[in-house]
């Protein structure tokens, strides 16, 4: 239901653009990342209808999530990459389960708030 692309290896300070295409219309889409030995963390989320975006504090100002509603796709533009950004980036989508957005600083939907998850695309920053 989700197809991700765009991962790869890049030097610190470089950029990558991830893409995720959904097989249907969604309500919210987001990205998580998982690094070896670390907990999975939410990176960014976009609510499809409102276009509102949410980011983890660790990526604010460097990453931008955007969407192409005509293609049910979401993108993650990653700039000024750091070695600590290394990990498997996983796209997620929700249709019926997207939570009401919180106004709490740094809030992101949890993994379980979504209904479908992709296989992931590896990002390595050296």
């Amino acid at each position: 239901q989700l197809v991700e692309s765009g991962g790869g290896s890049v030097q610190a300070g470089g950029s990558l653009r991830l893409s995720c295409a959904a097989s249907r219309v969604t309500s919210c889409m987001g990205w998580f990342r998982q690094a070896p030995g670390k907990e999975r963390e939410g990176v960014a989320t976009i609510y499809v209808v409102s276009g509102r975006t949410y980011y983890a504090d660790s990526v604010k100002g460097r990453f931008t999530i955007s969407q192409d509603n005509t293609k049910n796709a979401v993108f993650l533009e990653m700039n000024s990459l750091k070695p600590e950004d290394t990990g498997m980036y996983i796209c997620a989508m929700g249709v019926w389960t997207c939570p009401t957005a919180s106004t709490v600083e740094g809030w992101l939907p949890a993994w379980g708030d979504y209904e479908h998850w992709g296989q992931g695309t590896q990002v390595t920053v050296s």
Side-chain angles (χ1 to χ4, degrees):
Q1 300 230 19
L2 292 169
V3 179
E4 300 128 322
S5 61
S9 297
V10 65
Q11 291 188 337
S15 300
L16 283 173
R17 186 174 189 252
L18 306 183
S19 299
C20 175
S23 59
R24 59 168 295 172
V25 173
T26 67
S27 295
C28 60
M29 295 186 75
W31 290 93
F32 291 82
R33 64 186 180 190
Q34 176 81 63
K38 294 184 179 181
E39 290 187 2
R40 182 177 55 225
E41 65 171 331
V43 175
T45 292
I46 188 166
Y47 277 66
V48 173
V49 173
S50 67
R52 294 200 64 175
T53 58
Y54 302 85
Y55 297 94
D57 289 341
S58 58
V59 306
K60 279 182 181 177
R62 300 188 297 122
F63 291 12
T64 302
I65 189 170
S66 60
Q67 62 182 342
D68 181 341
N69 290 348
T70 64
K71 299 180 180 179
N72 297 328
V74 65
F75 310 98
L76 187 67
E77 187 75 36
M78 305 185 295
N79 298 315
S80 302
L81 283 162
K82 305 175 181 180
E84 51 262 44
D85 293 318
T86 293
M88 181 69 74
Y89 282 69
I90 304 163
C91 179
M93 76 172 193
V95 179
W96 306 110
T97 59
C98 300
T100 300
S102 170
T103 57
V104 174
E105 185 69 22
W107 173 86
L108 283 168
W111 179 264
D113 287 328
Y114 294 93
E115 298 163 72
H116 301 282
W117 302 266
Q119 294 297 310
T121 184
Q122 179 67 35
V123 171
T124 302
V125 185
S126 59

